[in-house]
């Protein structure tokens, strides 16, 4: 039996939907997105992100029964590693607790590995694989997997690039900034970082019979960070990276002059500081920014260098996962900045990503997307688009991102982005990837926003799920975590799935 025949039979034997066949199968399978749920092999993926705390608080069987009954869910994305609060833990204090789960804030949330770390897989890294102390005697995969199997549900390990700098051995994996100081992020090129992720891929796939893996890195390169091109903290040009020895070495191999790159980023640091301080050069913001780029093209080369480090991580994880379990899928969570910043979007090339992806969860959170878009506009208008007003910057962004009919600047935080944005982004992703790559839009349910900002309503969830399938999605992924979702909103997703006759 050759590899291709083996893969095909294992896909058929596996039943249900295939998470992602190998690229060798391209052209042999239907390229049409599945919308009817008729065949067993093209059933759409209806998934939810859920952390350990929900099973501990509410009981595994009860949670899974609810998932099936309320939202016809068939796939669980278990948060298996993170130090962040976005996908694990309960609601952080300051946000109302939803109508299920323990009615108590977990202020002492810590994070880490929520399954059982098997040390033999982490020999090549300085980073110590830390069992999350939040649930010291609980292994979320070992607990949920058999219960999911009994219900014919799939289990995906979902882990992300979020650390605490206090983790033992982190210091030997840290990114180094423009001024030679360690940052609170890992360098994607550092072997300690790479081997940590590869060890984790191997640990999940060899220690448990899970159905696939999803990893996410909500990070971008030094140029985008310097100008604050995201909805995050607005960037800080003095802490951009990476200038560690591994990256300097990679630059040399690529023929990029590190000293010139450093000079360019120092010039950019001065420029951003002046812009933020309200200084307006006679030639304006845009022209003086562009002047730095043409004077120091190494600034752009360093942005590419950083991205190649991340792409190599994807490539290596994909290769490792397919070596161990060729019929199981591995794919990526693509950060929400993709929806706001054309700079980041340019670096998320769907055709390129297709070479090392079985599926993509493209974040299309339309509710929190409103306030987040406004935040991005404030950040980028404070630097690169200082010649424009925030209103004009948002108009320009809508044109560049090819959105239509979205709300103006004074209403976007309260109104959110539309379901049509979800449809457009789905269509763009489906058109951009090779036919073997599944597109599973991330739909937001009750992601915390400030009191005056857009909150998720049942009709929003219903419309967004419908829009995703209308755009050709192969599934949907309800995000970010069950422990922040209201049950009525989860039911609204289920209503859309049933009305579409997908369940
Ligand atoms: Zn580095």
């Amino acid at each position: 039996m050759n590899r291709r025949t083996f893969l095909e039979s294992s896909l058929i034997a596996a039943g249900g939907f295939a998470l992602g066949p190998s690229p060798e199968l391209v052209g042999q399978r239907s390229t049409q997105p599945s919308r009817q749920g008729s065949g067993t092999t093209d059933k759409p993926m209806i998934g939810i992100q859920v952390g350990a705390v929900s099973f501990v608080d509410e009981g595994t069987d009860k949670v899974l029964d609810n998932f099936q009954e309320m939202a016809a869910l068939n796939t669980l994305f278990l948060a298996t590693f993170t130090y962040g609060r976005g996908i694990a833990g309960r609601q952080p204090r300051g946000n109302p607790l939803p109508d299920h789960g323990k009615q108590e804030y977990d202020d002492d949330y810590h994070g880490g590995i929520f399954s059982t770390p098997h040390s033999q897989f982490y020999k090549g890294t300085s980073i110590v694989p830390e069992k999350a102390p939040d649930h010291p005697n609980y292994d979320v995969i070992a607990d949920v997997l058999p219960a999911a199997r009994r219900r014919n549900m799939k289990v995906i390990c979902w882990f992300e690039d979020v650390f605490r700098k206090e983790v033992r051995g982190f210091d030997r994996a840290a990114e180094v900034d423009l001024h030679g100081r360690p940052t609170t992020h890992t360098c994607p090129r550092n072997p300690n970082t790479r081997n940590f992720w590869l060890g984790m891929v191997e640990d999940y796939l060899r220690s448990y019979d899970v159905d696939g893996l999803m990893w996410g890195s909500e990070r971008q390169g030094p140029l985008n960070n310097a100008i604050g091109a995201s909805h995050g903290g607005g960037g800080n040009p003095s802490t951009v990276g990476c200038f560690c020895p591994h990256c300097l070495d990679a630059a040399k191999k690529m023929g990029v002059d590190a000293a010139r790159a450093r000079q360019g980023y120092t010039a950019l640091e001065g420029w951003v500081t002046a812009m933020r301080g309200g200084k307006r050069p006679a030639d304006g913001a845009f022209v003086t920014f562009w002047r730095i780029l043409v004077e120091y093209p190494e600034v752009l080369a360093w942005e590419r260098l950083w991205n190649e480090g991340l792409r190599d991580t994807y490539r290596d994880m994909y290769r490792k996962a397919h070596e161990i379990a060729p019929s199981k899928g591995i794919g990526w969570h693509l950060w929400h900045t993709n929806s706001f910043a054309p700079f980041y979007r340019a670096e998320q090339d769907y055709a390129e990503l297709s070479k090392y992806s079985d599926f993509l969860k493209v974040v299309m959170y339309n509710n929190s997307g409103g306030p987040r878009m406004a935040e991005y506009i404030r950040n980028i208008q404070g630097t690169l688009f200082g010649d424009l007003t925030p209103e004009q910057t948002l108009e320009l962004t809508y044109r560049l991102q090819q959105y239509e009919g979205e709300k103006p600047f004074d209403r976007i935080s309260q109104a959110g982005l539309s379901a049509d944005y979800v449809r457009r982004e789905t269509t763009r992703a489906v058109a951009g990837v090779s036919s073997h790559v599944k597109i599973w839009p991330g739909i937001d349910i009750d992601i915390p926003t400030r009191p005056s900002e857009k909150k998720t309503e049942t009709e929003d969830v219903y419309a967004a799920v419908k829009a995703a399938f209308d755009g050709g999605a192969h599934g949907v992924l309800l995000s970010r975590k069950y422990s922040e979702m209201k049950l009525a909103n989860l039911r609204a997703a289920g209503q859309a799935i049933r009305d579409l006759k997908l369940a």
Side-chain angles (χ1 to χ4, degrees), residues 187 189 242 244 246-247:
C187 167
R189 195 170 268 114
C242 182
C244 83
H246 304 286
C247 291

Side-chain angles (χ1 to χ4, degrees), residues 314-343:
Y314 287 142
R315 290 181 188 110
D316 280 358
M317 290 173 79
Y318 181 85
R319 193 182 306 121
K320 174 67 82 180
H322 280 248
E323 267 168 31
I324 300 169
S327 66
K328 293 179 178 177
I330 183 166
W332 324 108
H333 156 103
L334 286 194
W335 191 23
H336 212 178
T337 295
N338 186 40
S339 286
F340 314 129
F343 313 99

Side-chain angles (χ1 to χ4, degrees), residues 371-388:
R372 287 177 174 190
M373 175 66 95
E375 192 65 22
Y376 163 73
I377 294 298
R378 281 189 287 270
N379 287 339
I380 199 69
Q381 194 268 333
T383 60
L384 181 56
F385 295 132
D387 304 316
L388 310 180

Side-chain angles (χ1 to χ4, degrees), residues 229-242:
S230 82
H231 57 288
N236 184 343
S238 69
T239 62
V240 296
C242 182

Side-chain angles (χ1 to χ4, degrees), residues 16 47 50 66 74 94 143 169 250 258 268 272 276 300 335 378 470 477:
V50 55
N66 283 347
N74 59 29
D143 174 50
L268 199 53
V272 170
R276 292 235 178 100
L300 211 40
W335 191 23
R378 281 189 287 270
D470 193 31
L477 181 43

Side-chain angles (χ1 to χ4, degrees), residues 52-79:
V53 73
S54 291
F55 300 106
V56 172
D57 283 356
E58 303 181 36
T60 305
D61 286 319
K62 183 164 168 273
V63 170
L64 298 190
D65 286 344
N66 283 347
F67 283 174
Q68 289 192 308
E69 181 259 312
M70 288 189 281
L73 294 164
N74 59 29
T75 308
L76 307 166
F77 289 71
L78 302 181

